[in-house]
Amino acid sequence: MMQSTLTINGMPDHALAAVVRGESDDPFAILGPHQRRKDGPVDIAVLRPGLDWVSIIDEVGQKLADCKLLHPGGLWGASIPNLPSPYRYRLRGSGAGVEFEFHDPYRFPPLLGDIDAYLIGEGTHRELYEHLGAHPCTMEGVEGTSFAVWAPNASRVSVVGSFNDWDGRLLPMRRRIECGVWELFVPGVREDALYKFEIKGQYGQLLPLKADPFAFRAEHPPSTASIVHGTKSHDWHDDAWMKGRGDRISRDAPVSIYEVHLGSWRRIPEDGNRHLSYDELADQLIPYVQDMGFSHVELMPVSEHPLSASWGYQPIGLYAPTSRFGRPDGFARLIDRCHQAGLGVLVDWVPGHFPTDRHGLGWFDGSHLYEHADPRQGFHLDWNTLIYNYGRAEVTNFLLANALFWPSHYHIDGWRVDAVASMLYLDYSRKAGEWIPNRQGGNENLEAISFIRRMNELVYGQNPGIATFAEESTAWPAVSRPTDMGGLGFGYKWNMGWMHDTLSYISRDPVHRRYAHNELTFGLLYAFTENFVLPLSHDEVVHGKGSLLRRMPGDRWQKFANLRAYYGFMFGHPGKKLMFMGGEFAQAQEWNFDRSLDWHLLADPMHEGVRRLMRDLNGAYRTLPALHQLDCESEGFQWVVGNDEQQSVIAFLRKGHDKASPVLVACNFTPVPRDSYRIGVPLPGRWIERINSDATVYGGSGMGNGGAVMSEPIPEHGHAQSLDLTLPPLSTVILERVVD
């Protein structure tokens, strides 16, 4: 009788068989409760293979009915006059005969509201992460987890995990055809449960198990499962920082950034060379960065990524802090403690490409869902990665929501967007015939440009005091200008040209520098066309380039002197500052992501001297307004000596809002001391030597100007006053004019 009842209720044998085989795209039409007519009996079906019996019980455990086996594949059913809510199943497994109970996932209503479904389908839901992914919650008094995933071209999606023996037949999801989302509330699944999605493509092909694109936590690689976590909020204690953080990142602020790879800043060799945890990093990294005088730390990508050797630049879990260093709440505590200590936190973000790992976004639902279908637009030749389809609204919505998630949920203070040039140009790193022009016939990726502008508008609009940084290596105009002025909308742009030119210069033997003087000065021709950051980043100490120290010419003493002079020049030059970890104490070996920095080098006075210089440079940059207030304005810079290539000397003035306190920066890039080198200055008075990179405390020879120099009424370089300076060998001196 039960078989015929369910069949009459629109459940023919082939529909039952499809559920049993895991091929139904509408499991709710069969599973769960169904009432054929008002006041009529309720038919109930449940799929649980390999059981001895199944019964239906009420809230207090009273049996309502025994189920019959409707299909030998494990489909059970019963018909009862009235169905209480809630009800449960009581089951007994075959073999050991263990009994257990569970609530029916197929008795609960849809998860997405109509407005949410509409916005998701439109590609404009900016809080997408609150609805997709896995969220522990309570529905109708029952604790469990809501699962939702976007897979519009799938023929069936199931959630699988440790709670159902990874069996894709047991928890097929409800299809929301209006937005392409599959959803299911699973009672009893709690935080920390492992899960993935089992997806069949539009032609019924079974795909590799997929990690959740919206997972908020993931297994430690090489394991690849997602972990139920949700978006529960951290108990923040950084109100004071959040209210005033905009002043710390503004164009007139002393922004000095310490770039960190969390996995190799410091390790514990006596404990298997393990990483520091997020909490251990907070204990050790924060006081170190504070003491060094940096204003911000920049974390290389912390989104979950399968391959450590990618340094995080090939992420899969864009919404999950990597599990390598602990749980997401540990990451939140790290940010909170940075803020309480007065340090801003910037994070590298990678919206340009993603890896081809089988559990990732590629071919997600059996179609080119996230990536562009044409490999000339969807495959990155340099990195063998897939490129997002920026022309698809749902894909850009995924990325835009992610850009908003981290500032909202983890209070990060800014994004450094990786590889922007690769996003802007359709022919980036491609030969003729390997790319397709845009609709206007050009090489600009119009969809990516639109995405970048919208990202900046949203991030700045919804997060007061935040900043975005572009790693953009070409001459694309107005990268750091507002979108309403035709710009891309970034707050700052990395000055890659300055980095490459000046490193080329300082790596030359001093005897040859006179022939490359323009490498030192060329950057000032365009220094104020963007809001620039001067980066000495991780990219300059990898792939055989060697450490910065090893790239310096000369004997050991000269190598250190060159590096100190270069750092002094960098901090005197217009632009915000960025230093990759280890550079501040002259790390000797090329950076290796899999080992700690060589902290033992600080026992060497030469390395310790560089560290002291970096700390003092940060102090001077912070306390001397002329060095930072007009970093991005041409009014803050004036050449004094720009063409003495024969002696490899340059000198320039830096100015702040107080015109009475300019700063003079003078560099001697040869090992020959320059005695009585006269430099014109705009104002009379005493000029105090705030920095001398040749000071003995830094490992230098100790030459200098006795701490201060009085100007003399001798015209030079177009000024009525001048200073008679000693320029030590391979050095930078920074002098401030003071009013006694």
Side-chain angles (χ1 to χ4, degrees):
M1 179 179 177
M2 186 63 200
Q3 175 76 51
S4 62
T5 301
L6 285 177
T7 301
I8 294 172
N9 193 37
M11 309 301 167
D13 289 344
H14 68 81
L16 302 183
V19 169
V20 170
R21 294 195 304 267
E23 296 175 355
S24 174
D25 65 350
D26 188 12
F28 277 82
I30 298 173
L31 301 177
H34 296 273
Q35 193 170 29
R36 288 183 282 130
R37 62 181 184 276
K38 186 178 181 181
D39 299 327
V42 178
D43 297 330
I44 304 174
V46 59
L47 179 64
R48 279 297 184 272
L51 300 179
D52 287 340
W53 54 260
V54 178
S55 61
I56 302 171
I57 61 175
D58 62 15
E59 188 173 9
V60 297
Q62 188 72 31
K63 183 190 292 187
L64 300 175
D66 288 320
C67 294
K68 296 181 179 180
L69 186 62
L70 304 178
H71 189 284
L75 186 65
W76 299 78
S79 184
I80 58 177
N82 296 294
L83 183 65
S85 182
Y87 68 89
R88 289 171 292 161
Y89 294 110
R90 180 175 291 156
L91 318 172
R92 186 170 69 189
S94 61
V98 177
E99 293 187 11
F100 57 99
E101 298 175 0
F102 73 95
H103 287 273
D104 187 355
Y106 297 94
R107 75 170 179 84
F108 293 93
L111 303 179
L112 289 177
D114 291 341
I115 294 178
D116 292 318
Y118 175 80
L119 294 176
I120 291 172
E122 189 180 55
T124 58
H125 203 311
R126 302 308 178 220
E127 293 185 347
L128 201 58
Y129 49 84
E130 295 292 358
H131 302 278
L132 300 187
H135 296 267
C137 60
T138 299
M139 290 194 70
E140 299 181 0
V142 178
E143 292 185 357
T145 296
S146 66
F147 294 91
V149 61
W150 180 59
N153 299 307
S155 61
R156 189 265 287 169
V157 179
S158 297
V159 58
V160 297
S162 52
F163 41 83
N164 67 354
D165 294 326
W166 304 91
D167 190 335
R169 298 172 298 170
L170 300 185
L171 292 172
M173 305 174 77
R174 173 191 284 114
R175 182 181 213 158
R176 300 296 299 270
I177 195 167
E178 69 271 36
C179 60
V181 169
W182 299 74
E183 61 178 18
L184 188 68
F185 173 72
V186 183
V189 174
R190 303 270 182 15
E191 186 177 340
D192 298 336
L194 303 180
Y195 74 99
K196 283 186 177 180
F197 294 113
E198 183 180 280
I199 300 175
K200 286 191 173 182
Q202 59 184 325
Y203 303 114
Q205 71 275 31
L206 186 64
L207 303 175
L209 292 183
K210 292 292 187 178
D212 185 357
F214 283 85
F216 305 108
R217 186 181 166 208
E219 280 191 295
H220 192 300
S223 298
T224 58
S226 303
I227 303 177
V228 174
H229 187 75
T231 56
K232 59 184 179 180
S233 179
H234 174 71
D235 182 18
W236 293 94
H237 300 87
D238 62 350
D239 287 351
W241 169 268
M242 295 295 283
K243 290 176 182 177
R245 66 177 178 173
D247 294 336
R248 312 286 189 98
I249 202 73
S250 63
R251 295 166 76 248
D252 61 355
V255 179
S256 183
I257 303 165
Y258 187 61
E259 185 188 23
V260 179
H261 178 259
L262 293 179
S264 59
W265 180 73
R266 181 172 286 162
R267 290 199 175 196
I268 310 297
E270 58 271 22
D271 191 9
N273 196 37
R274 71 168 177 85
H275 302 116
L276 297 179
S277 69
Y278 287 124
D279 289 311
E280 289 172 326
L281 284 161
D283 291 338
Q284 300 181 41
L285 177 64
I286 291 173
Y288 177 78
V289 176
Q290 273 186 303
D291 178 67
M292 289 301 298
F294 292 98
S295 63
H296 294 74
V297 293
E298 179 181 314
L299 307 181
M300 291 168 66
V302 295
S303 298
E304 195 59 83
H305 50 282
L307 180 65
S308 294
S310 77
W311 316 330
Y313 291 102
Q314 293 189 16
I316 280 182
L318 279 185
Y319 285 82
T322 179
S323 58
R324 289 167 173 83
F325 317 116
R327 296 170 57 98
D329 49 328
F331 179 73
R333 286 193 297 273
L334 172 61
I335 306 300
D336 200 357
R337 290 178 61 182
C338 281
H339 287 172
Q340 293 176 57
L343 292 175
V345 181
L346 312 173
V347 177
D348 281 11
W349 189 47
V350 189
H353 62 127
F354 56 92
T356 59
D357 296 66
R358 288 163 57 85
H359 68 287
L361 297 179
W363 200 247
F364 188 79
D365 64 354
S367 70
H368 294 288
L369 190 63
Y370 286 90
E371 70 273 20
H372 202 289
D374 191 322
R376 292 172 295 181
Q377 294 177 265
F379 188 76
H380 203 298
L381 299 172
D382 287 351
W383 303 314
N384 293 320
T385 52
L386 300 171
I387 300 172
Y388 290 102
N389 183 355
Y390 304 106
R392 183 161 190 168
E394 300 98 327
V395 174
T396 55
N397 194 19
F398 167 75
L399 294 170
L400 292 171
N402 187 252
L404 298 173
F405 168 76
W406 291 80
S408 172
H409 194 68
Y410 288 113
H411 287 200
I412 70 163
D413 301 298
W415 288 121
R416 176 267 197 183
V417 182
D418 180 63
V420 172
S422 73
M423 300 170 66
L424 295 176
Y425 298 96
L426 293 167
D427 60 346
Y428 180 87
S429 196
R430 294 180 187 271
K431 301 174 184 177
E434 294 179 345
W435 62 282
I436 303 174
N438 62 36
R439 60 182 178 270
Q440 300 171 355
N443 67 340
E444 304 88 355
N445 190 329
L446 302 179
E447 290 83 7
I449 295 165
S450 177
F451 159 72
I452 289 170
R453 287 172 171 161
R454 187 60 179 146
M455 180 275 296
N456 280 313
E457 290 168 352
L458 288 171
V459 167
Y460 276 100
Q462 297 188 22
N463 299 278
I466 205 169
T468 60
F469 299 72
E471 188 218 8
E472 203 286 307
S473 55
T474 74
W476 189 280
V479 170
S480 58
R481 295 294 181 262
T483 58
D484 59 5
M485 296 175 61
L488 292 181
F490 287 98
Y492 293 95
K493 174 181 174 176
W494 275 23
N495 195 336
M496 312 291 281
W498 174 89
M499 178 179 68
H500 292 140
D501 287 349
T502 59
L503 280 175
S504 173
Y505 176 86
I506 201 67
S507 300
R508 297 175 184 271
D509 190 293
V511 73
H512 301 303
R513 286 175 178 167
R514 69 181 68 183
Y515 307 112
H517 198 69
N518 65 305
E519 291 180 335
L520 199 62
T521 61
F522 180 70
L524 274 307
L525 294 177
Y526 60 86
F528 309 106
T529 59
E530 302 275 4
N531 302 327
F532 277 124
V533 173
L534 309 182
L536 293 178
S537 74
H538 66 276
D539 279 328
E540 296 311 304
V541 292
V542 291
H543 300 320
K545 296 177 183 177
S547 67
L548 294 182
L549 180 66
R550 290 285 175 88
R551 292 162 73 171
M552 299 298 108
D555 59 25
R556 186 172 191 268
W557 188 92
Q558 290 177 333
K559 286 180 181 294
F560 279 94
N562 269 295
L563 189 62
R564 294 193 305 267
Y566 182 56
Y567 286 171
F569 164 70
M570 172 188 182
F571 273 75
H573 193 288
K576 308 308 179 186
K577 323 301 177 189
L578 181 140
M579 175 67 61
F580 181 56
M581 64 180 198
E584 78 277 11
F585 63 81
Q587 168 85 8
Q589 299 296 322
E590 182 175 273
W591 173 57
N592 183 338
F593 74 92
D594 210 23
R595 61 186 294 268
S596 174
L597 295 178
D598 294 328
W599 293 101
H600 63 276
L601 293 177
L602 290 174
D604 183 325
M606 298 297 282
H607 289 278
E608 170 62 13
V610 175
R611 189 196 68 82
R612 290 181 178 181
L613 173 64
M614 181 59 63
R615 182 179 58 187
D616 291 350
L617 284 170
N618 271 324
Y621 181 56
R622 182 176 62 254
T623 58
L624 299 180
L627 286 181
H628 64 257
Q629 283 184 341
L630 298 176
D631 258 334
C632 305
E633 312 291 341
S634 60
E635 295 82 359
F637 176 87
Q638 182 180 353
W639 275 116
V640 180
V641 179
N643 58 356
D644 189 0
E645 62 270 11
Q646 292 304 312
Q647 299 188 86
S648 298
V649 170
I650 62 168
F652 51 85
L653 291 165
R654 294 298 310 281
K655 304 173 185 179
H657 298 310
D658 181 5
K659 304 305 181 185
S661 300
V663 164
L664 176 68
V665 180
C667 306
N668 174 15
F669 287 113
T670 71
V672 179
R674 307 297 178 188
D675 296 316
S676 296
Y677 195 100
R678 188 163 293 277
I679 298 178
V681 290
L683 295 171
R686 190 159 61 101
W687 291 70
I688 296 178
E689 197 173 61
R690 297 298 190 191
I691 293 290
N692 177 354
S693 70
D694 191 53
T696 55
V697 69
Y698 304 140
S701 66
M703 294 186 67
N705 297 280
V709 181
M710 290 296 297
S711 68
E712 300 174 287
I714 300 175
E716 190 67 59
H717 301 122
H719 297 288
Q721 298 280 322
S722 61
L723 305 178
D724 184 0
L725 292 179
T726 294
L727 301 183
L730 298 172
S731 70
T732 293
V733 293
I734 299 177
L735 302 101
E736 178 195 20
R737 191 256 184 179
V738 297
V739 180
D740 293 323

